[in-house]
Amino acid sequence: MIYLKRKIDGFLREWKQNPDRKPLVVKGPRQVGKTESIRRFGAEYYDNVVEINFVEEPKYRLITADGYRTSDLIKNISRMDPSKQFTEGKTLLFFDELQEFPEIATALKFFCQDGRFDVICSGSMLGIHYSRIESNSVGYKEDCEMYSFDFEEFLWAKGYEDGFAEDLLEHMVNLTALNDAELSVCHGLFLDYCILGGMPAVLREYIVKGTFEGSLQIQRQLLADYEEDVRKYAEGMDQARILNVFRRIPLQLAKDNKKFQISKVASGARFKDYRGCIEWLSDARMVNVCYCMNYPELPLKDNFDETKYKIYFADSGLLVAMLDEEAQEDLRANRNLGVYKGALYENVVGEALTKSGYGLYYYKREDSTLEEDFFVRTARNLIPIEVKAKSGRAKSLRTLIASDKYEDIHYGIKFTGGNIGYENGIYTFPYFCMFLLRRYLNRAYPV
C-alpha cells in the first residue's frame, strides 16, 4: 500500500529530536491516517515498536492491574506477549484507540518521569473523553491535532513539490496574477480536491486509479462508520438527535442563510435540547462549528453568541457524499456544483481555516443586511474573509473596511474562483490559495 506524505511526519520528527520530549497524544477524527503515520514513523526511527490497540486487543486493559508505574506496565505487557521487546532509549510504545481505555493516560506521568521509553497515544474519538485524559496527565504530555488531507497534502500526493506552494505564496505576497495556464491547472486540482475531500482511503484510491471510480462508495462507507460511532460512543445522550443534526447539515448549508436552525431539525426542537448534540459532534471532530460574533472587534475569544452558529463538515468530501443522486452525478461527470456551490466552497474555506489552526467566527448584523462569512486575527488586526462562489461585489466587506465603527478592521480578504488582485483594501485570492493564508499573513503583515 502506498504511503502518502503527511504534515504530521515532520511534526513527529521534530518531537523525536527534542531531548525533553513528553509522551505524545495524537487527536483527530476517525480514519484520517493517524495510525498509519505513527506506524511508519516508529518503523523508521526505533528498533522496537510495541503497539497496543485497545479495540482489537481488549485484554491489554488489564496491564494497569498492578498500578500505573512504568515497570509494572512493562512487566504485565511482557507477560501477555513475551515477544514484545523493550530496549531502553530505542523503543516506542504506541497505545492506539485510547478512547476505549482513557485510564491509561494516568500512566503518562510515570512514563514521562521514567524517561526510558517514548510513548505515543492515539484515538479517533478522544475529544468526547478528553476531560478524563487531561485530568489524568496534565503537565506530562504533549498534544497534536491531526486532520484529513489539506490541499497542500493533496498536492504532495499528486506529485507536486514544496516549491509549487512557495511559488503560489510569492504570487500572493507580491500581488502578481497567475497566468491562464497556472490558473487552469490549480483550479482543476482544487475542484478534484473539493469532490474527493481529504480522507486517506478516498485519496489513495484516486491516486492509484487516476479517476473518481469508487470514491463515492468509500465516502459513503465513511459516513456509515461515523454514524456507527454516534451509536457506540454517545453515552447517555439522545443518539437520534445527534444523527438528526448530522444528516441535516447539507440542507441547511444549501440555504442562502446558512445559519443552522434547530427548529428545522425536528418539529418543536429547541436549542437547549440540542446543545449537547452540537458539542458532541464538535468534540468528536466530525463537524466544525462557526459561531456568530456579538460584534466584529477583538478579542475573538468569548465574543460570540453560542446560540447562533453554522455547522460545517470537518471534511468537505463527506458533505459531497451526502448530496442527492442528481447532484452527485452532475458534480462528478460535469464538475458542476449547482445549488450547493456556495455551500461547498464555504465548507472548504471553514475546513481550511480549522486545519490552519484558526477558530471559526462569522458576523450577522440583525438590523441590516451586513453579514461576513469568516474572521481571523493577527496581533493587531481583525480580518474579515468573504467567500464568493462567483467574483461578485463584496458589499459587506467594503462596509466593514470603510466604516469608522469597526476600529480593528483595516483590510479584508475575498476568496473567489478568479485570480489574485487588490482594490480598495480588499485582497482577492483564488480558493486554492486558502491553505496559504497563515503563511501569507505572516509574510505580508509580520508582527
Side-chain angles (χ1 to χ4, degrees):
M1 185 171 68
I2 62 169
Y3 181 77
L4 302 177
K5 175 183 172 185
R6 303 301 304 274
K7 290 185 174 178
I8 196 174
D9 299 341
F11 178 90
L12 291 173
R13 285 193 296 270
E14 291 178 6
W15 174 77
K16 170 68 172 163
Q17 291 164 4
N18 181 2
D20 299 319
R21 61 187 172 276
K22 300 176 180 179
L24 181 66
V25 177
V26 180
K27 301 183 289 183
R30 64 146 48 237
Q31 299 189 36
V32 295
K34 299 183 296 297
T35 299
E36 184 182 18
S37 294
I38 295 167
R39 280 177 180 165
R40 188 171 187 270
F41 163 72
E44 186 173 353
Y45 288 94
Y46 294 86
D47 291 352
N48 306 309
V49 178
V50 177
E51 180 178 339
I52 293 175
N53 184 306
F54 290 115
V55 169
E56 296 176 0
E57 302 170 295
K59 65 179 182 181
Y60 282 106
R61 299 178 198 179
L62 299 175
I63 61 177
T64 60
D66 298 320
Y68 294 92
R69 291 181 304 175
T70 299
S71 57
D72 291 331
L73 294 180
I74 300 303
K75 179 180 65 178
N76 285 332
I77 293 171
S78 298
R79 279 177 179 166
M80 293 179 180
D81 185 354
S83 69
K84 295 189 185 300
Q85 299 180 32
F86 296 88
T87 306
E88 294 183 16
K90 297 181 179 180
T91 299
L92 173 68
L93 273 77
F94 174 26
F95 296 113
D96 202 6
E97 302 294 358
L98 185 64
Q99 76 280 356
E100 293 294 329
F101 189 54
E103 290 79 7
I104 195 65
T106 302
L108 298 185
K109 172 182 178 180
F110 298 97
F111 277 117
C112 185
Q113 293 172 337
D114 184 279
R116 289 179 291 162
F117 309 104
D118 287 348
V119 179
I120 298 179
C121 300
S122 180
S124 57
M125 305 292 287
L126 293 186
I128 58 175
H129 296 281
Y130 211 63
S131 59
R132 292 163 66 189
I133 295 170
E134 184 72 26
S135 63
N136 290 343
S137 56
V138 62
Y140 295 99
K141 64 172 176 57
E142 181 178 355
D143 292 335
C144 171
E145 192 87 33
M146 189 173 179
Y147 305 94
S148 61
F149 280 67
D150 67 8
F151 186 54
E152 184 169 25
E153 290 173 314
F154 174 79
L155 292 174
W156 293 343
K158 290 286 289 182
Y160 291 89
E161 301 294 334
D162 291 339
F164 188 82
E166 281 301 314
D167 185 55
L168 284 179
L169 182 58
E170 288 298 322
H171 277 274
M172 294 172 70
V173 171
N174 298 319
L175 293 175
T176 54
L178 299 160
N179 64 42
D180 290 343
E182 292 169 325
L183 206 57
S184 176
V185 167
C186 290
H187 277 310
L189 288 165
F190 186 71
L191 186 53
D192 285 354
Y193 174 72
C194 288
I195 294 170
L196 294 161
M199 300 302 279
V202 179
L203 288 187
R204 188 173 286 110
E205 192 82 359
Y206 164 77
I207 295 298
V208 170
K209 292 183 177 178
T211 68
F212 294 119
E213 180 187 352
S215 62
L216 179 57
Q217 287 80 0
I218 297 173
Q219 288 169 329
R220 286 182 171 164
Q221 182 57 53
L222 288 167
L223 284 170
D225 292 343
Y226 271 51
E227 294 202 359
E228 184 59 32
D229 279 344
V230 173
R231 298 184 183 96
K232 182 177 180 180
Y233 293 107
E235 302 173 357
M237 292 189 61
D238 189 338
Q239 298 172 5
R241 286 179 176 175
I242 296 175
L243 290 173
N244 277 344
V245 171
F246 187 67
R247 292 167 180 167
R248 280 163 176 73
I249 296 172
L251 288 175
Q252 300 230 18
L253 284 178
K255 302 179 304 182
D256 287 338
N257 172 18
K258 295 177 175 60
K259 187 180 87 168
F260 196 88
Q261 294 176 285
I262 289 295
S263 61
K264 303 291 185 183
V265 171
S267 177
R270 297 172 299 177
F271 171 74
K272 70 185 186 73
D273 297 326
Y274 278 80
R275 176 177 179 175
C277 301
I278 312 300
E279 291 178 352
W280 193 97
L281 288 167
S282 178
D283 287 343
R285 303 299 193 266
M286 293 165 66
V287 302
N288 298 322
V289 182
C290 181
Y291 289 100
C292 183
M293 299 175 67
N294 294 319
Y295 192 77
E297 64 183 358
L298 296 174
L300 289 174
K301 185 175 175 60
D302 298 326
N303 177 22
F304 61 86
D305 185 341
E306 62 180 12
T307 69
K308 298 175 182 177
Y309 49 86
K310 302 177 187 179
I311 304 178
Y312 302 106
F313 281 94
D315 184 89
S316 296
L318 300 184
L319 167 60
V320 169
M322 291 185 76
L323 304 185
D324 56 70
E325 296 288 345
E326 292 77 11
Q328 284 283 349
E329 186 176 339
D330 204 24
L331 180 59
R332 283 174 164 77
N334 305 311
R335 301 160 78 84
N336 175 29
L337 302 180
V339 68
Y340 293 100
K341 181 183 290 184
L344 181 57
Y345 281 140
E346 204 168 301
N347 200 102
V348 169
V349 171
E351 178 186 347
L353 286 171
T354 300
K355 289 176 177 178
S356 296
Y358 292 109
L360 299 186
Y361 304 93
Y362 77 101
Y363 180 65
K364 173 71 171 73
R365 186 169 163 178
E366 295 296 336
D367 60 352
S368 77
T369 59
L370 181 66
E371 183 172 7
E372 199 53 72
D373 298 319
F374 299 102
F375 290 84
V376 298
R377 67 162 300 170
T378 62
R380 300 184 180 90
N381 296 306
L382 181 64
I383 306 164
I385 294 177
E386 184 120 342
V387 180
K388 284 289 186 184
K390 298 179 181 179
S391 296
R393 293 172 63 83
K395 181 180 178 182
S396 292
L397 193 55
R398 287 185 282 115
T399 299
L400 288 168
I401 295 167
S403 175
D404 294 334
K405 295 179 181 178
Y406 311 108
E407 297 179 355
D408 296 323
I409 298 174
H410 305 287
Y411 59 93
I413 294 175
K414 181 171 66 173
F415 285 99
T416 75
N419 212 322
I420 294 172
Y422 174 81
E423 184 180 10
N424 297 328
I426 299 176
Y427 296 87
T428 302
F429 300 119
Y431 293 118
F432 55 77
C433 292
M434 184 66 229
F435 74 98
L436 292 165
L437 178 63
R438 187 178 286 277
R439 274 174 269 183
Y440 166 76
L441 291 174
N442 288 340
R443 282 274 300 274
Y445 293 94
V447 177

